[in-house]
Amino acid sequence: MKIDHHGDTPPYEQVRVHYAHAISNRELPVGAKLPTVRALAKDLGLAVNTVARAYRELEEAGLVETRGRAGTVVSANGDNNRERIRAAAAQYATMSAELGLAPQEALEIVRAALRP
């Protein structure tokens, strides 16, 4: 992982996105151990608090869990979260069809909602 120190995206967000993608793509399986906060901070040349924030946000999203001295591991909840999103998408698709929205319009609504 490389951190772009000159880009618009804060370093903690770059770390969070990197791990979120790796978990959702199953490059990191359930139970995989993440580097310690201190080790990753040192490897990336970041402050410990920066990496800690990224890990905290991953934990709040249910993608990882911190087990004290045992470290931070990929949570089984990541699979549950993916299933919840699929179910919500199916419900949205059904509702948009019932309300007469064209598929393209329904997608545009989702795209607008996902924009930061």
Side-chain angles (χ1 to χ4, degrees):
M1 169 178 16
K2 298 260 184 188
I3 298 297
D4 178 5
H5 294 280
H6 304 292
D8 292 335
T9 306
Y12 80 89
E13 181 66 6
Q14 293 177 53
V15 172
R16 187 198 66 76
V17 167
H18 171 80
Y19 280 108
H21 282 292
I23 292 166
S24 66
N25 294 336
R26 293 183 173 80
E27 294 167 27
L28 287 173
V30 172
K33 192 170 180 180
L34 274 61
T36 66
V37 170
R38 290 186 191 283
L40 187 59
K42 182 179 178 187
D43 288 348
L44 298 176
L46 297 173
V48 170
N49 287 340
T50 300
V51 175
R53 179 173 179 183
Y55 277 27
R56 189 170 48 254
E57 291 194 10
L58 289 166
E59 188 166 23
E60 288 171 4
L63 296 175
V64 300
E65 53 189 65
T66 302
R67 298 179 177 167
R69 292 189 182 266
T72 302
V73 297
V74 175
S75 171
N77 289 334
D79 287 338
N80 294 339
N81 288 343
R82 182 180 289 261
E83 186 51 42
R84 289 176 54 207
I85 291 295
R86 281 190 193 115
Q91 184 178 16
Y92 176 77
T94 300
M95 180 184 287
S96 64
E98 287 172 356
L99 295 174
L101 268 71
Q104 187 61 33
E105 186 178 359
L107 286 172
E108 288 304 318
I109 291 169
V110 171
R111 281 189 189 96
L114 291 172
R115 285 188 196 115

